[in-house]
Amino acid sequence: MKVTIYQGSRPPATIADITIVIDVIRAFTVAHHVFLQGADGIYLAESVEQAFQLKKENPEYLLAGEVNGLAINGFDLDNSPYRIKEKNLAGRTLVQRTTNGVRATLNCLASKTVFVTGFSNARTTAECVKKLSRRNKQMTVNVIASHPSGDDDLACAEYIKSILMGSLIPEEPVRDRIRSSQAAEKFFTDNQSCFKREDILVCLQAVESDFVMRVDKSKEFPMIERVAR
């Protein structure tokens, strides 16, 4: 198995059999908890306008996300995993628009299979991909640290690669890098309500799950779905 790490939301230089897109702070930590709260699926919107159009056509959908970390006027939910944990989302469908994670995922759809994760579901995701690799010893995997410069997603990407390659990095140093990353800093120093320190605590917590988050590319709009690992 060949594993390559890329950083940023632009299309990677190579197309892999499997791509894992990471957004620890906060998009795919939110997505993980959305499914833990019972949601059916999450459509990925390229723009705020596209998200509103989907909502117009399907009023029952919930819009979630951010622009440059800030909540979007008219959206039902922001990008806070801490607040998501308080919601009952059983049977609901969401539409997610974010600056890094969603954009990076939409730029990786040429890959045969695409998974998304934060740190909270990283080990489960890596173990799922490692299991798939037993059927194809020549499998190629791209791991995308979607934040273009932050150490949070890169730390998680290196952690996932270590699991795939059988040289496990301990979780605590990964948590330390996420906690001290530039992306996390404003959650401890900024007084804006959209940057809650509790979000980082949720982002640092590995949650045992019986599922991974895979992107269904067969629909008109790509959708993250919950798939048994």
Side-chain angles (χ1 to χ4, degrees):
M1 176 170 44
K2 180 181 179 181
V3 182
T4 305
I5 293 175
Y6 291 97
Q7 188 165 18
S9 59
R10 293 183 178 181
T14 60
I15 297 173
D17 297 312
I18 292 178
T19 297
I20 304 170
V21 183
I22 300 165
D23 192 331
V24 176
I25 305 173
R26 298 166 284 172
F28 296 142
T29 302
V30 167
H32 188 201
H33 284 279
V34 162
F35 285 113
L36 290 171
Q37 295 303 106
D40 285 343
I42 307 170
Y43 283 109
L44 300 177
E46 187 174 0
S47 64
V48 172
E49 292 74 21
Q50 188 180 78
F52 279 126
Q53 184 61 36
L54 278 166
K55 174 83 168 183
K56 182 177 179 180
E57 296 169 2
N58 304 273
E60 72 278 11
Y61 288 179
L62 297 175
L63 303 185
E66 48 77 22
V67 172
N68 297 322
L70 302 177
I72 302 169
N73 288 335
F75 270 37
D76 304 286
L77 303 164
D78 57 12
N79 198 40
S80 167
Y82 176 74
R83 282 191 276 264
I84 283 290
K85 288 180 65 176
E86 300 173 346
K87 304 293 183 182
N88 178 1
L89 300 174
R92 302 303 298 267
T93 296
L94 278 72
V95 179
Q96 189 177 41
R97 186 278 173 202
T98 71
T99 302
N100 293 318
V102 169
R103 183 174 299 166
T105 304
L106 294 174
N107 282 331
C108 289
L109 297 181
S111 184
K112 182 178 179 181
T113 304
V114 180
F115 296 100
V116 301
T117 191
F119 177 73
S120 63
N121 207 35
R123 182 160 192 156
T124 299
T125 304
E127 289 174 348
C128 174
V129 172
K130 191 170 185 177
K131 183 178 179 181
L132 293 173
S133 73
R134 295 176 192 148
R135 306 173 194 168
N136 177 9
K137 300 297 183 182
Q138 304 303 314
M139 189 173 76
T140 56
V141 180
N142 284 345
V143 184
I144 311 298
S146 68
H147 194 289
S149 59
D151 197 38
D152 50 322
D153 292 342
L154 186 59
C156 189
E158 291 172 357
Y159 172 64
I160 287 174
K161 182 175 181 178
S162 77
I163 296 171
L164 295 176
M165 303 307 293
S167 55
L168 180 63
I169 295 172
E171 287 187 3
E172 200 51 42
V174 179
R175 288 194 183 93
D176 288 343
R177 288 174 63 185
I178 294 169
R179 189 184 295 110
S180 61
S181 68
Q182 182 182 8
E185 183 178 354
K186 59 182 171 290
F187 290 85
F188 297 101
T189 60
D190 201 310
N191 291 323
Q192 295 187 70
S193 62
C194 54
F195 299 128
K196 299 178 68 69
R197 64 180 296 140
E198 290 87 353
D199 278 346
I200 301 302
L201 302 181
V202 176
C203 290
L204 292 170
Q205 183 180 5
V207 181
E208 185 67 27
S209 302
D210 61 357
F211 65 91
V212 292
M213 297 181 288
R214 186 178 68 192
V215 179
D216 182 353
K217 303 184 293 177
S218 67
K219 301 179 184 298
E220 181 181 1
F221 298 98
M223 170 184 265
I224 305 173
E225 57 182 3
R226 171 180 176 150
V227 178
R229 62 179 183 178

